[in-house]
Amino acid sequence: MNATDSHDSRTGRLAGKVALITGAGSGIGRAAALLFAAEGAAVGVLDRDGAVAEETTALVVSAGGRALALTADVSKSAQVSAAADALAAKYSCIDILYNNAGVDSRGSVVVAEETDWDRCFDVNVKGTFLMSQAALVHMGQGGSIINQGSVAALVGVMNFAAYCAAKGAVVALTRSMAVDLAGRGVRANVICPGTVYTPLMEPMLRTRGDGDLDLGLERTLVKYPIGRLGHVDDIARVALFLASDEAAFMTGSVVAADGGMTAQ
Ligand SMILES: NC(=O)c1ccc[n+]([C@@H]2O[C@H](COP(=O)([O-])OP(=O)(O)OC[C@H]3O[C@@H](n4cnc5c(N)ncnc54)[C@H](O)[C@@H]3O)[C@@H](O)[C@H]2O)c1
């Protein structure tokens, strides 16, 4: 199944909403852009890679949705402000922000490199902070922010020290945002996905398989009671729920979407 397969039934759960999704040029972010648009949202498709942002935007538009491609590095404040301003200028406000853009970083605390640590925190943590600040300018009273965590925030994942720490910080930041923003009707929740087969994960799977992708997959699958890895749509649907008014009583929630990985 690919990201476009399952969006044929439109129920308008985000009708009239404007959503900004970061890292929407690939993987989970692209799936979320297609799903949110199919549910009626106008979508800001933000990626640091403008070409893939344009590709996702074209997919949304060809499926009958509304989207604006935005090129920005979420770790650069001037770029995220310009992107949020451009989306609000086109669609008049921002109701939903999905802080999905992220990078991983390999290595245990013994060997992890300082530059990788900095990059991992810049994109995953500072990017979430900067993008939220920029989007909140246009959010007014009411809105939903969904941050992308990881199971790596909840359990130790071997040889991913910086990534575990950064995603842990995203969970803590989400709780802080939930408390600070509740008074103005903005909800903030964090999704902690288990392993989803996307370009981001392939190097990790190869490493786990000592260079062999199939072996890496096999070694990963044993951690998943549900018997399979995640699909991008598994995570996009959780994001859709948190974005929608159906999740009106949820804020500060840490939602694992991990096939039972952290339940054992
Ligand atoms: N794939 C998984 O198994 C998995 C598991 C848990 C959490 N996550 C998290 O989900 C999110 C999306 O992961 P994915 O697997 O879809 O990744 P992906 O690599 O397929 O897509 C990530 C996208 O983010 C963009 N991006 C990276 N850095 C950026 C930056 N500084 N500014 C703007 N855009 C940037 C990339 O260009 C890319 O298009 C990440 O935060 C990741 O940590 C993924």
Side-chain angles (χ1 to χ4, degrees):
M1 186 165 75
N2 64 48
T4 56
D5 285 344
S6 55
H7 304 145
D8 42 10
S9 60
R10 297 180 182 210
T11 55
R13 289 159 79 187
L14 301 183
K17 306 277 191 193
V18 180
L20 175 50
I21 303 175
T22 70
S26 174
I28 297 165
R30 173 171 286 180
L34 287 161
L35 182 59
F36 284 23
E39 293 290 345
V43 180
V45 175
L46 185 148
D47 207 285
R48 73 177 165 194
D49 179 343
V52 294
E54 292 287 357
E55 271 177 31
T56 300
T57 301
L59 288 170
V60 169
V61 171
S62 70
R66 291 175 301 153
L68 177 68
L70 301 161
T71 307
D73 179 335
V74 293
S75 67
K76 309 281 185 220
S77 58
Q79 293 183 26
V80 297
S81 291
D85 292 351
L87 184 65
K90 180 156 172 126
Y91 295 116
S92 78
C93 66
I94 298 174
D95 303 292
I96 296 158
L97 170 63
Y98 186 9
N99 280 311
N100 162 76
V103 292
D104 71 1
S105 171
R106 261 147 281 152
S108 71
V109 70
V110 179
V111 299
E113 307 241 347
E114 185 179 351
T115 48
D116 284 343
W117 174 280
D118 287 344
R119 184 170 153 272
C120 195
F121 270 74
D122 273 356
V123 178
N124 293 294
V125 189
K126 188 178 170 192
T128 298
F129 158 65
L130 290 176
M131 193 72 255
S132 300
Q133 209 168 52
L136 278 160
V137 171
H138 303 287
M139 230 174 229
Q141 298 292 316
S144 175
I145 298 177
I146 304 116
N147 293 332
Q148 193 75 300
S150 166
V151 289
L154 308 177
V155 295
V157 177
M158 204 177 275
N159 295 320
F160 275 86
Y163 186 71
C164 289
K167 290 301 190 180
V170 170
V171 169
L173 176 61
T174 305
R175 290 193 172 114
S176 156
M177 287 165 65
V179 171
D180 288 339
L181 301 174
R184 61 184 272 192
V186 175
R187 298 181 294 104
N189 295 288
V190 56
I191 305 173
C192 289
T195 305
V196 176
Y197 201 118
T198 67
L200 184 75
M201 277 299 133
E202 208 163 297
M204 183 277 273
L205 293 170
R206 271 188 209 285
T207 305
R208 192 169 281 162
D210 300 321
D212 180 336
L213 186 58
D214 289 337
L215 183 59
L217 268 171
E218 199 179 301
R219 287 177 175 166
T220 303
L221 266 180
V222 297
K223 295 172 183 285
Y224 286 83
I226 216 162
R228 67 171 176 86
L229 298 185
H231 183 272
V232 289
D233 283 330
D234 291 322
I235 311 306
R237 288 191 195 104
V238 177
L240 169 64
F241 169 67
L242 292 172
S244 77
D245 293 340
E246 292 158 33
F249 198 52
M250 290 179 73
T251 195
S253 295
V254 182
V255 182
D258 66 356
M261 192 266 201
T262 56
Q264 51 195 340

